[in-house]
Amino acid sequence: DAMVIQNPRYQVTQFGKPVTLSCSQTLNHNVMYWYQQKSSQAPKLLFHYYDKDFNNEADTPDNFQSRRPNTSFCFLDIRSPGLGDAAMYLCATSSVGLVTMNTEAFFGQGTRLTVV
Amino acid sequence: AQKITQTQPGMFVQEKEAVTLDCTYDTSDPSYGLFWYKQPSSGEMIFLIYQGSYDQQNATEGRYSLNFQKARKSANLVISASQLGDSAMYFCAMREGRGGRRALTFGSGTRLQVQP
């Protein structure tokens, strides 16, 4: 059974048209991450939520925003997609405590975004 | 400086043979965790194996084992008895520091192709 679900699997959007990608989880994990993965590259962290605490990476463009209305859901908003934003977007979750080290991240299947 | 380095962009292995995928890392934090993930062409990231910096023994999970050489800062993945279904991208990743609030940092990956 899927535990981290991303919708849609494939998204085509027009240049400059806002788009939202969604992620839901049934694991009740307190941390949710968004990664961007371009072709044949490593996943790159955009931001993450530790509970309701939002943590943005320093080099994440302002064009990317995120919302986490509750524990189960997290959204990635791209305000004005450019051609360079075409990528796979991966959502992941972890259950993280004060001393845990070995908690792996559980990933969704990703949303492949095409910008035309 | 790169925190995770995977020097093999692509590897070939014959079915039923063993293969080693290389990973070196860089950190000054005494507490860290090392992870290997498999990414098939479908896109999801599948957790394979974990090694903690304080673990005395090398981690093993079924056909996967991690050759952890702390002094060399290497954490190579060994897949024994390769199967056709092992063909995928493999990513080495690291989480630094206790508490686990920091996200996983990924290497650039190795594409493994298992030949019949």
Side-chain angles (χ1 to χ4, degrees), chain A residues 6-18:
Chain A
Q6 291 188 243
N7 283 304
R9 289 289 309 279
Y10 302 91
Q11 176 74 57
V12 180
T13 191
Q14 290 181 334
F15 182 94
K17 184 176 180 181

Side-chain angles (χ1 to χ4, degrees), chain A residues 4 8 23 28 35-36 39-41 43 47 55 57 59 62 65 70 77 81 84 86-88 94 97 105-106 112 115:
Chain A
V4 182
C23 177
N28 203 34
Y35 285 86
Q36 179 193 63
S39 183
S40 301
Q41 295 184 19
F47 25 58
N55 299 270
E57 292 300 296
D59 57 354
D62 292 340
Q65 305 285 318
N70 54 51
D77 301 310
M88 174 78 90
S94 280
F106 291 81
R112 190 172 296 280
V115 182

Side-chain angles (χ1 to χ4, degrees), chain A residues 44-80:
Chain A
K44 177 181 178 299
L45 182 68
L46 296 174
F47 25 58
H48 74 279
Y49 275 94
Y50 186 96
D51 293 321
K52 295 183 179 180
D53 182 19
F54 177 69
N55 299 270
N56 199 27
E57 292 300 296
D59 57 354
T60 298
D62 292 340
N63 197 26
F64 292 86
Q65 305 285 318
S66 185
R67 297 169 283 136
R68 189 180 186 185
N70 54 51
T71 300
S72 301
F73 286 88
C74 195
F75 300 97
L76 169 62
D77 301 310
I78 309 177
R79 294 193 294 190
S80 181

Side-chain angles (χ1 to χ4, degrees), chain B residues 6 10-11 26 28 39 52 79 82 100 113:
Chain B
Q6 295 180 255
M11 291 279 287
D26 182 28
S28 57
Q39 187 178 41
I79 306 175
S82 298
Q113 295 190 49

